[in-house]
Amino acid sequence: MLPLGVIDMNCELVDPEDLLNQLRILKSANVDGVMIDCWWGIVEAHAPQVYKWSGYRRLFQMVRDLKLKLQVVMSMHECGGNIGDDVHIPLPHWVTEIGETNPDIYFTDREGRRNTECLTWGIDKERVLKRRTAVEVYFDYMRSFRVEFDEFFQDGIISEIEIGLGPCGELRYPSYPAKHGWKYPGIGEFQCYDKYLMKSLSKAAELRGHSFWGRGPENAGSYNSAPHEIRFFRDGGDYDSYYGRFFLNWYSQVLIDHGDRVLALANLAFEGTCISAKLSGTHWWYKTASHAAELTAGFYNSSNRDGYAPIAAMLRKHGVALNFTCFEMRTLDQYEGFPEALADPEGLVWQVLNAAWDACIPLASENALPCYDREGYSKILENAKPLHNPDGRHLSVFTYLRLSPCSHGETQLSRV
């Protein structure tokens, strides 16, 4: 992955000479190519359907000249405020202007706090963005990119497009935002209180015949709660009640439906190109019955359910690869740092690996946090090509996070 701030807010390369030197080092380390975020907030910054791609074109030409490949991320979210973010790139200005008069275009928690990191999935089909729906806006953006860079597709320089589907580009709810005070290993909060998602919930409750279920959980704690403290998430808690199962089914289905809609349009925009979607590695509280942090993020993966198989099935429907994080993490390290979190990244990775393989979809990965240690590197290799797998299954791609001064002269950026 290239640095987040390689393109500035005027859509120009920040330091072309330094970047060219870094790309040459990567080429000498035998990497296949680089990943770059194409930020919606930069390209369509000032007016609807007015796109500026100049800096990206210059960057792509440099990559092509070095005979490297490109993985391009359609980043339809804000950059800044999350772990590893060293620049701030907001949503397009014309979108945030709409948000000033209609803040319900953003995900909202129970206290009414808005999260401007990305648009709520409640407006996927609502014409609230200058007479366009959110999915129409995303499609127009993707189509503009495909037309602008046609030569790089034809030449095979762009080998993959990753479709941003939520915060940090991941298919999840923004349930653990640092800007609202969340700290690891808090369970996070449900993010369904904008008027559009609440309308959807009310409609689902009425169809079920229990209109009084058209509300969010009232006993789900706060961002930094632990599951055993909270009635909804504790063992035997309300998450497994008739209402809890109804709510969690609806909440997780909204996530799947959003991915389904956007990826269908991505296939239209990028026909013939490999497409991927990223899921987050929400590994804390994995060893509890409720899997509370996964539930608030939209993954209905409690101990009596497989929350990732339905997502993998949706990806298979569109021929989309699954990109998963935290491949470098070891469960033992989590116990040494935060034993109370009952985290199990290795168990989560194994579950998601099998969900993807069972659905027969390509599986890609990246490290969740900067990784320069031998143990983490060995864990990546172990997960990339599991030993004794009778079917010979392995990752299709591994992308290293991230090119930085610590990695320029290293050979850690190796082919899997």
Side-chain angles (χ1 to χ4, degrees):
M1 295 184 198
L2 294 183
L4 291 169
V6 70
I7 304 286
D8 66 21
M9 290 302 297
N10 294 315
C11 203
E12 300 298 339
L13 273 175
V14 172
D15 191 339
E17 290 186 13
D18 184 55
L19 178 61
L20 182 58
N21 289 333
Q22 294 175 30
L23 290 173
R24 285 171 174 157
I25 293 171
L26 296 183
K27 178 70 175 178
S28 71
N30 289 326
V31 303
D32 295 307
V34 293
M35 175 180 273
I36 179 69
D37 290 274
C38 278
W39 294 103
W40 181 34
I42 291 177
V43 174
E44 196 181 357
H46 301 296
Q49 296 178 282
V50 178
Y51 307 102
K52 185 176 182 181
W53 297 105
S54 53
Y56 290 106
R57 173 165 290 279
R58 187 174 180 189
L59 169 61
F60 290 6
Q61 288 168 343
M62 291 167 59
V63 171
R64 178 172 58 187
D65 290 345
L66 288 170
K67 295 181 170 56
L68 292 168
K69 301 288 188 182
L70 277 164
Q71 291 175 315
V72 182
V73 185
M74 298 285 100
S75 295
M76 273 84 79
H77 61 282
E78 174 186 71
C79 179
N82 290 297
I83 294 173
D85 289 351
D86 53 5
V87 297
H88 179 64
I89 303 169
L91 297 184
H93 179 67
W94 62 272
V95 173
T96 59
E97 280 187 334
I98 294 171
E100 290 174 4
T101 56
N102 181 13
D104 283 288
I105 67 171
Y106 302 121
F107 283 106
T108 307
D109 65 20
R110 187 172 184 82
E111 298 298 318
R113 288 168 290 200
R114 314 290 185 172
N115 190 322
T116 60
E117 190 175 351
C118 59
L119 300 178
T120 172
W121 303 330
I123 64 167
D124 276 1
K125 297 189 289 184
E126 299 285 341
R127 295 194 175 280
V128 295
L129 300 175
K130 304 287 188 181
R131 286 178 272 186
R132 287 188 294 167
T133 67
V135 292
E136 287 172 345
V137 169
Y138 303 147
F139 176 67
D140 289 343
Y141 180 73
M142 293 186 287
R143 182 173 55 184
S144 172
F145 177 87
R146 178 61 182 83
V147 171
E148 177 71 23
F149 295 107
D150 178 67
E151 64 195 272
F152 295 91
F153 285 93
Q154 298 296 337
D155 294 344
I157 303 301
I158 296 176
S159 61
E160 180 182 316
I161 299 290
E162 183 177 294
I163 309 300
L165 295 170
C168 298
E170 298 167 338
L171 182 58
R172 65 171 174 88
Y173 289 86
S175 56
Y176 44 94
K179 66 176 71 174
H180 291 162
W182 175 83
K183 294 181 180 179
Y184 182 84
I187 59 175
E189 292 191 20
F190 293 113
Q191 304 289 313
C192 58
Y193 294 94
D194 63 84
K195 68 182 182 183
Y196 302 103
L197 286 181
M198 290 306 293
K199 180 182 177 182
S200 169
L201 177 58
S202 295
K203 182 178 180 180
E206 289 175 9
L207 289 173
R208 180 69 181 269
H210 303 296
S211 58
F212 56 94
W213 282 357
R215 53 176 174 77
E218 297 173 354
N219 53 1
S222 58
Y223 286 110
N224 293 312
S225 298
H228 61 269
E229 304 168 343
I230 303 302
R231 180 176 167 184
F232 191 82
F233 295 113
R234 69 190 182 193
D235 289 359
D238 290 348
Y239 77 92
D240 205 28
S241 66
Y242 289 111
Y243 160 73
R245 291 196 295 273
F246 159 78
F247 173 78
L248 293 170
N249 266 310
W250 169 81
Y251 190 73
S252 59
Q253 190 61 46
V254 169
L255 175 148
I256 293 171
D257 288 346
H258 171 71
D260 187 39
R261 282 189 288 267
V262 177
L263 293 174
L265 293 175
N267 267 325
L268 288 177
F270 300 116
E271 184 178 2
T273 301
C274 293
I275 296 174
S276 65
K278 185 163 74 168
L279 297 186
S280 62
T282 312
H283 55 80
W284 52 106
W285 307 115
Y286 187 84
K287 286 197 169 183
T288 62
S290 65
H291 292 229
E294 289 168 275
L295 296 186
T296 59
F299 307 124
Y300 193 176
N301 194 50
S302 55
S303 58
N304 56 351
R305 289 180 56 98
D306 185 344
Y308 298 99
I311 297 172
M314 179 271 291
L315 297 178
R316 179 181 181 179
K317 171 184 172 183
H318 298 290
V320 170
L322 192 161
N323 183 13
F324 197 63
T325 63
C326 74
F327 259 52
E328 83 285 10
M329 291 184 173
R330 300 190 307 158
T331 297
L332 179 61
D333 293 339
Q334 300 301 311
Y335 272 86
E336 291 175 352
F338 288 91
E340 71 277 12
L342 296 175
D344 187 6
E346 292 181 52
L348 176 60
V349 165
W350 184 241
Q351 181 184 355
V352 174
L353 279 173
N354 282 282
W357 289 335
D358 289 347
C360 299
I361 58 175
L363 183 67
S365 186
E366 58 193 50
N367 45 309
L369 300 171
C371 175
Y372 306 114
D373 60 284
R374 173 58 57 183
E375 291 80 8
Y377 183 65
S378 297
K379 174 54 68 175
I380 290 170
L381 294 178
E382 178 186 325
N383 286 326
K385 292 184 177 179
L387 294 175
H388 312 304
N389 187 305
D391 301 309
R393 290 163 163 169
H394 56 82
L395 292 185
S396 58
V397 175
F398 178 78
T399 305
Y400 180 85
L401 180 153
R402 163 180 321 272
L403 180 64
S404 69
C406 296
S407 59
H408 290 177
E410 303 292 337
T411 56
Q412 299 175 54
L413 297 153
S414 303
R415 291 174 105 163
V416 172

Short mmCIF file of all heavy atoms in Angstrom, two decimals, residues 17 41 112 119 135 174 183 194 197 201 219 234 239 279 293 302 336 344 357 405:
data_model
loop_
_atom_site.label_atom_id
_atom_site.label_comp_id
_atom_site.label_asym_id
_atom_site.label_seq_id
_atom_site.Cartn_x
_atom_site.Cartn_y
_atom_site.Cartn_z
N GLU A 17 9.39 12.85 -7.01
CA GLU A 17 10.73 12.28 -7.05
C GLU A 17 10.94 11.26 -5.94
O GLU A 17 11.49 10.17 -6.16
CB GLU A 17 11.78 13.40 -6.94
CG GLU A 17 11.86 14.27 -8.19
CD GLU A 17 13.01 15.28 -8.11
OE1 GLU A 17 13.87 15.12 -7.21
OE2 GLU A 17 13.03 16.21 -8.93
N GLY A 41 -13.35 12.05 -1.85
CA GLY A 41 -13.31 13.41 -1.33
C GLY A 41 -12.31 14.31 -2.03
O GLY A 41 -12.37 15.53 -1.89
N GLY A 112 -27.55 9.98 19.24
CA GLY A 112 -27.73 10.97 18.19
C GLY A 112 -26.45 11.54 17.63
O GLY A 112 -26.48 12.50 16.86
N LEU A 119 -21.34 7.57 4.37
CA LEU A 119 -22.78 7.77 4.31
C LEU A 119 -23.52 6.54 4.82
O LEU A 119 -23.10 5.40 4.58
CB LEU A 119 -23.21 8.06 2.87
CG LEU A 119 -22.58 9.31 2.24
CD1 LEU A 119 -23.06 9.46 0.80
CD2 LEU A 119 -22.92 10.56 3.04
N VAL A 135 -26.11 5.01 -4.12
CA VAL A 135 -25.51 4.02 -5.02
C VAL A 135 -25.33 4.57 -6.43
O VAL A 135 -24.38 4.19 -7.13
CB VAL A 135 -26.33 2.70 -5.04
CG1 VAL A 135 -26.25 1.98 -3.71
CG2 VAL A 135 -27.75 2.92 -5.46
N PRO A 174 -19.69 1.69 11.23
CA PRO A 174 -18.65 2.42 11.98
C PRO A 174 -18.93 2.34 13.48
O PRO A 174 -19.17 3.34 14.15
CB PRO A 174 -18.79 3.85 11.44
CG PRO A 174 -20.23 3.97 11.08
CD PRO A 174 -20.65 2.61 10.56
N LYS A 183 -12.38 3.10 22.76
CA LYS A 183 -11.02 2.60 22.98
C LYS A 183 -11.06 1.08 23.01
O LYS A 183 -12.01 0.48 23.53
CB LYS A 183 -10.45 3.14 24.30
CG LYS A 183 -10.23 4.64 24.31
CD LYS A 183 -9.65 5.11 25.63
CE LYS A 183 -9.44 6.62 25.64
NZ LYS A 183 -8.89 7.10 26.93
N ASP A 194 -30.10 6.80 12.29
CA ASP A 194 -30.54 7.83 11.35
C ASP A 194 -31.97 7.51 10.94
O ASP A 194 -32.43 6.36 11.06
CB ASP A 194 -29.60 7.88 10.14
CG ASP A 194 -29.62 6.58 9.33
OD1 ASP A 194 -30.51 6.42 8.48
OD2 ASP A 194 -28.76 5.71 9.57
N LEU A 197 -32.53 4.44 8.29
CA LEU A 197 -32.43 3.08 8.80
C LEU A 197 -33.52 2.78 9.82
O LEU A 197 -34.02 1.64 9.89
CB LEU A 197 -31.04 2.83 9.40
CG LEU A 197 -29.90 2.68 8.40
CD1 LEU A 197 -28.57 2.42 9.11
CD2 LEU A 197 -30.18 1.56 7.40
N LEU A 201 -36.10 -0.31 9.81
CA LEU A 201 -36.32 -1.20 10.95
C LEU A 201 -37.81 -1.26 11.32
O LEU A 201 -38.35 -2.35 11.59
CB LEU A 201 -35.49 -0.72 12.14
CG LEU A 201 -35.67 -1.50 13.46
CD1 LEU A 201 -35.35 -2.97 13.28
CD2 LEU A 201 -34.79 -0.88 14.55
N ASN A 219 -30.63 -1.78 25.94
CA ASN A 219 -29.74 -2.25 27.00
C ASN A 219 -28.43 -2.79 26.43
O ASN A 219 -27.91 -3.79 26.89
CB ASN A 219 -30.44 -3.33 27.83
CG ASN A 219 -30.99 -4.46 26.96
OD1 ASN A 219 -30.83 -4.44 25.75
ND2 ASN A 219 -31.64 -5.45 27.58
N ARG A 234 -24.46 -10.14 27.54
CA ARG A 234 -23.93 -11.13 28.47
C ARG A 234 -24.41 -12.54 28.09
O ARG A 234 -25.35 -12.70 27.31
CB ARG A 234 -24.35 -10.79 29.89
CG ARG A 234 -25.82 -10.97 30.17
CD ARG A 234 -26.21 -10.40 31.51
NE ARG A 234 -27.63 -10.61 31.80
CZ ARG A 234 -28.29 -10.00 32.77
NH1 ARG A 234 -27.66 -9.12 33.55
NH2 ARG A 234 -29.57 -10.26 32.96
N TYR A 239 -29.49 -10.62 23.34
CA TYR A 239 -29.09 -10.79 21.95
C TYR A 239 -29.68 -12.09 21.39
O TYR A 239 -29.89 -12.21 20.17
CB TYR A 239 -27.57 -10.79 21.80
CG TYR A 239 -26.90 -12.09 22.22
CD1 TYR A 239 -26.65 -13.09 21.29
CD2 TYR A 239 -26.53 -12.33 23.54
CE1 TYR A 239 -26.05 -14.29 21.65
CE2 TYR A 239 -25.93 -13.52 23.92
CZ TYR A 239 -25.70 -14.49 22.98
OH TYR A 239 -25.12 -15.68 23.35
N LEU A 279 -13.31 -6.98 4.41
CA LEU A 279 -13.97 -7.13 5.70
C LEU A 279 -12.98 -6.82 6.80
O LEU A 279 -11.78 -7.08 6.67
CB LEU A 279 -14.49 -8.57 5.90
CG LEU A 279 -15.56 -9.08 4.96
CD1 LEU A 279 -16.03 -10.46 5.43
CD2 LEU A 279 -16.74 -8.14 4.89
N ALA A 293 -18.51 -7.32 19.84
CA ALA A 293 -17.90 -6.33 18.95
C ALA A 293 -18.23 -6.63 17.49
O ALA A 293 -18.38 -5.71 16.67
CB ALA A 293 -16.38 -6.30 19.15
N SER A 302 -22.54 -14.66 16.45
CA SER A 302 -22.57 -15.19 17.81
C SER A 302 -22.24 -16.68 17.78
O SER A 302 -22.17 -17.30 16.71
CB SER A 302 -23.95 -14.95 18.44
OG SER A 302 -24.97 -15.49 17.62
N GLU A 336 -1.46 -11.44 26.04
CA GLU A 336 -0.42 -10.77 26.83
C GLU A 336 -0.71 -9.29 26.98
O GLU A 336 -0.44 -8.71 28.04
CB GLU A 336 0.94 -10.98 26.15
CG GLU A 336 1.43 -12.42 26.21
CD GLU A 336 2.71 -12.63 25.43
OE1 GLU A 336 3.13 -11.69 24.72
OE2 GLU A 336 3.29 -13.72 25.51
N ASP A 344 -9.42 -13.43 19.77
CA ASP A 344 -8.88 -14.61 19.11
C ASP A 344 -8.74 -14.35 17.61
O ASP A 344 -9.52 -14.85 16.81
CB ASP A 344 -9.79 -15.82 19.37
CG ASP A 344 -9.17 -17.12 18.85
OD1 ASP A 344 -8.00 -17.10 18.41
OD2 ASP A 344 -9.87 -18.16 18.87
N TRP A 357 -13.38 -20.21 1.33
CA TRP A 357 -13.09 -21.42 0.58
C TRP A 357 -14.35 -22.24 0.32
O TRP A 357 -14.53 -22.80 -0.75
CB TRP A 357 -12.05 -22.25 1.33
CG TRP A 357 -10.69 -21.62 1.31
CD1 TRP A 357 -10.22 -20.75 0.37
CD2 TRP A 357 -9.65 -21.82 2.25
NE1 TRP A 357 -8.92 -20.39 0.69
CE2 TRP A 357 -8.54 -21.03 1.83
CE3 TRP A 357 -9.51 -22.58 3.41
CZ2 TRP A 357 -7.34 -20.99 2.52
CZ3 TRP A 357 -8.30 -22.55 4.11
CH2 TRP A 357 -7.23 -21.76 3.67
N PRO A 405 8.88 5.06 5.77
CA PRO A 405 10.33 5.14 5.94
C PRO A 405 10.92 3.89 6.58
O PRO A 405 12.07 3.55 6.34
CB PRO A 405 10.51 6.36 6.85
CG PRO A 405 9.33 7.22 6.55
CD PRO A 405 8.20 6.26 6.30
#
